Short mmCIF file of all heavy atoms in Angstrom, two decimals:
data_model
loop_
_atom_site.label_atom_id
_atom_site.label_comp_id
_atom_site.label_asym_id
_atom_site.label_seq_id
_atom_site.Cartn_x
_atom_site.Cartn_y
_atom_site.Cartn_z
N GLY A 153 14.15 -17.99 7.47
CA GLY A 153 15.08 -18.16 6.36
C GLY A 153 16.36 -17.40 6.51
O GLY A 153 17.20 -17.42 5.61
N GLY A 154 16.53 -16.71 7.62
CA GLY A 154 17.77 -15.99 7.87
C GLY A 154 17.95 -14.78 6.98
O GLY A 154 16.98 -14.10 6.61
N PHE A 155 19.19 -14.48 6.62
CA PHE A 155 19.52 -13.28 5.85
C PHE A 155 18.86 -13.29 4.48
O PHE A 155 18.46 -12.25 3.96
CB PHE A 155 21.04 -13.16 5.71
CG PHE A 155 21.47 -11.97 4.92
CD1 PHE A 155 21.51 -10.71 5.50
CD2 PHE A 155 21.83 -12.09 3.58
CE1 PHE A 155 21.91 -9.61 4.77
CE2 PHE A 155 22.23 -10.99 2.85
CZ PHE A 155 22.27 -9.74 3.45
N ASN A 156 18.75 -14.46 3.86
CA ASN A 156 18.18 -14.55 2.51
C ASN A 156 16.66 -14.50 2.48
O ASN A 156 16.07 -14.36 1.41
CB ASN A 156 18.65 -15.84 1.84
CG ASN A 156 20.14 -15.85 1.60
OD1 ASN A 156 20.72 -14.82 1.25
ND2 ASN A 156 20.78 -17.00 1.81
N GLY A 157 16.02 -14.62 3.64
CA GLY A 157 14.57 -14.53 3.68
C GLY A 157 13.88 -15.77 3.14
O GLY A 157 14.49 -16.83 2.97
N ARG A 158 12.60 -15.62 2.86
CA ARG A 158 11.79 -16.74 2.35
C ARG A 158 10.87 -16.25 1.25
O ARG A 158 10.44 -15.08 1.24
CB ARG A 158 10.96 -17.36 3.48
CG ARG A 158 11.76 -18.11 4.50
CD ARG A 158 10.86 -18.77 5.54
NE ARG A 158 9.92 -19.71 4.92
CZ ARG A 158 9.11 -20.50 5.62
NH1 ARG A 158 9.13 -20.44 6.95
NH2 ARG A 158 8.30 -21.34 5.02
N SER A 159 10.57 -17.16 0.34
CA SER A 159 9.59 -16.85 -0.70
C SER A 159 8.19 -16.89 -0.10
O SER A 159 7.92 -17.61 0.87
CB SER A 159 9.71 -17.83 -1.86
OG SER A 159 9.51 -19.16 -1.40
N VAL A 160 7.30 -16.14 -0.69
CA VAL A 160 5.95 -15.97 -0.16
C VAL A 160 4.98 -16.86 -0.93
O VAL A 160 4.90 -16.76 -2.17
CB VAL A 160 5.50 -14.50 -0.25
CG1 VAL A 160 4.09 -14.32 0.31
CG2 VAL A 160 6.49 -13.61 0.49
N PRO A 161 4.24 -17.73 -0.26
CA PRO A 161 3.23 -18.53 -0.96
C PRO A 161 2.11 -17.63 -1.49
O PRO A 161 1.65 -16.73 -0.79
CB PRO A 161 2.70 -19.49 0.12
CG PRO A 161 3.72 -19.45 1.21
CD PRO A 161 4.33 -18.09 1.16
N PRO A 162 1.68 -17.81 -2.73
CA PRO A 162 0.61 -16.98 -3.27
C PRO A 162 -0.71 -17.25 -2.55
O PRO A 162 -1.00 -18.38 -2.15
CB PRO A 162 0.55 -17.38 -4.74
CG PRO A 162 1.14 -18.74 -4.79
CD PRO A 162 2.18 -18.80 -3.71
N LEU A 163 -1.48 -16.21 -2.40
CA LEU A 163 -2.77 -16.33 -1.72
C LEU A 163 -3.76 -17.02 -2.65
O LEU A 163 -3.84 -16.73 -3.84
CB LEU A 163 -3.28 -14.94 -1.34
CG LEU A 163 -4.60 -14.90 -0.58
CD1 LEU A 163 -4.45 -15.50 0.81
CD2 LEU A 163 -5.11 -13.46 -0.47
N GLN A 164 -4.52 -17.95 -2.08
CA GLN A 164 -5.58 -18.64 -2.81
C GLN A 164 -6.88 -18.50 -2.03
O GLN A 164 -6.92 -18.73 -0.83
CB GLN A 164 -5.24 -20.12 -3.00
CG GLN A 164 -4.04 -20.35 -3.90
CD GLN A 164 -3.77 -21.81 -4.15
OE1 GLN A 164 -4.46 -22.67 -3.60
NE2 GLN A 164 -2.78 -22.11 -4.97
N LEU A 165 -7.91 -18.10 -2.75
CA LEU A 165 -9.20 -17.86 -2.12
C LEU A 165 -10.28 -18.55 -2.95
O LEU A 165 -10.57 -18.14 -4.07
CB LEU A 165 -9.47 -16.35 -2.02
CG LEU A 165 -10.72 -15.92 -1.26
CD1 LEU A 165 -10.65 -16.37 0.20
CD2 LEU A 165 -10.89 -14.41 -1.32
N GLY A 166 -10.85 -19.61 -2.38
CA GLY A 166 -11.91 -20.33 -3.08
C GLY A 166 -11.47 -20.92 -4.40
O GLY A 166 -12.23 -20.91 -5.38
N GLY A 167 -10.24 -21.41 -4.48
CA GLY A 167 -9.74 -21.98 -5.72
C GLY A 167 -9.14 -20.98 -6.68
O GLY A 167 -8.56 -21.36 -7.70
N PHE A 168 -9.27 -19.69 -6.36
CA PHE A 168 -8.70 -18.65 -7.22
C PHE A 168 -7.35 -18.24 -6.66
O PHE A 168 -7.22 -17.91 -5.47
CB PHE A 168 -9.62 -17.44 -7.28
CG PHE A 168 -9.11 -16.31 -8.13
CD1 PHE A 168 -9.23 -16.37 -9.51
CD2 PHE A 168 -8.50 -15.21 -7.56
CE1 PHE A 168 -8.77 -15.33 -10.30
CE2 PHE A 168 -8.03 -14.18 -8.33
CZ PHE A 168 -8.17 -14.24 -9.71
N SER A 169 -6.33 -18.25 -7.49
CA SER A 169 -4.97 -17.95 -7.06
C SER A 169 -4.58 -16.54 -7.47
O SER A 169 -4.80 -16.14 -8.63
CB SER A 169 -3.98 -18.95 -7.67
OG SER A 169 -2.66 -18.62 -7.31
N PHE A 170 -4.02 -15.78 -6.53
CA PHE A 170 -3.54 -14.43 -6.81
C PHE A 170 -2.08 -14.48 -7.27
O PHE A 170 -1.19 -13.83 -6.71
CB PHE A 170 -3.67 -13.55 -5.57
CG PHE A 170 -5.08 -13.22 -5.22
CD1 PHE A 170 -5.81 -14.05 -4.38
CD2 PHE A 170 -5.71 -12.10 -5.74
CE1 PHE A 170 -7.12 -13.76 -4.04
CE2 PHE A 170 -7.02 -11.80 -5.42
CZ PHE A 170 -7.73 -12.64 -4.57
N SER A 171 -1.85 -15.25 -8.31
CA SER A 171 -0.51 -15.39 -8.88
C SER A 171 -0.67 -15.60 -10.38
O SER A 171 -1.78 -15.72 -10.90
CB SER A 171 0.25 -16.56 -8.24
OG SER A 171 -0.36 -17.79 -8.56
N ALA A 172 0.48 -15.64 -11.06
CA ALA A 172 0.46 -15.80 -12.51
C ALA A 172 0.59 -17.26 -12.92
O ALA A 172 0.90 -17.55 -14.08
CB ALA A 172 1.59 -14.98 -13.13
N ASP A 173 0.39 -18.21 -11.99
CA ASP A 173 0.54 -19.63 -12.33
C ASP A 173 -0.51 -20.10 -13.32
O ASP A 173 -0.24 -20.91 -14.20
CB ASP A 173 0.49 -20.47 -11.06
CG ASP A 173 1.64 -20.16 -10.11
OD1 ASP A 173 2.67 -19.64 -10.60
OD2 ASP A 173 1.50 -20.41 -8.90
N SER A 174 -1.73 -19.58 -13.16
CA SER A 174 -2.81 -19.98 -14.07
C SER A 174 -3.13 -18.82 -15.00
O SER A 174 -3.06 -17.66 -14.62
CB SER A 174 -4.06 -20.37 -13.27
OG SER A 174 -4.49 -19.29 -12.46
N GLU A 175 -3.49 -19.15 -16.23
CA GLU A 175 -3.79 -18.13 -17.23
C GLU A 175 -5.19 -17.57 -17.00
O GLU A 175 -6.14 -18.31 -16.74
CB GLU A 175 -3.67 -18.70 -18.63
CG GLU A 175 -2.25 -19.11 -19.00
CD GLU A 175 -2.17 -19.59 -20.43
OE1 GLU A 175 -3.22 -19.59 -21.11
OE2 GLU A 175 -1.07 -19.97 -20.86
N LEU A 176 -5.30 -16.24 -17.12
CA LEU A 176 -6.58 -15.57 -16.96
C LEU A 176 -6.58 -14.35 -17.86
O LEU A 176 -5.65 -13.53 -17.81
CB LEU A 176 -6.82 -15.17 -15.51
CG LEU A 176 -8.11 -14.38 -15.23
CD1 LEU A 176 -9.34 -15.24 -15.54
CD2 LEU A 176 -8.14 -13.90 -13.79
N THR A 177 -7.62 -14.22 -18.68
CA THR A 177 -7.74 -13.09 -19.60
C THR A 177 -9.14 -12.49 -19.45
O THR A 177 -10.14 -13.22 -19.53
CB THR A 177 -7.51 -13.53 -21.05
OG1 THR A 177 -6.21 -14.13 -21.15
CG2 THR A 177 -7.57 -12.33 -21.98
N LEU A 178 -9.18 -11.18 -19.25
CA LEU A 178 -10.45 -10.47 -19.14
C LEU A 178 -10.45 -9.32 -20.14
O LEU A 178 -9.55 -8.48 -20.14
CB LEU A 178 -10.65 -9.91 -17.72
CG LEU A 178 -10.86 -10.92 -16.60
CD1 LEU A 178 -10.98 -10.20 -15.25
CD2 LEU A 178 -12.10 -11.76 -16.86
N LEU A 179 -11.46 -9.33 -21.02
CA LEU A 179 -11.61 -8.28 -22.03
C LEU A 179 -10.35 -8.12 -22.87
O LEU A 179 -9.94 -7.02 -23.23
CB LEU A 179 -11.99 -6.95 -21.38
CG LEU A 179 -13.29 -6.94 -20.56
CD1 LEU A 179 -13.52 -5.57 -19.95
CD2 LEU A 179 -14.47 -7.33 -21.45
#
Side-chain angles (χ1 to χ4, degrees):
F155 179 80
N156 295 322
R158 290 184 59 174
S159 59
V160 180
L163 182 67
Q164 294 184 357
L165 186 61
F168 180 79
S169 177
F170 290 89
S171 66
D173 296 337
S174 58
E175 294 184 0
L176 177 64
T177 303
L178 292 177
L179 301 179

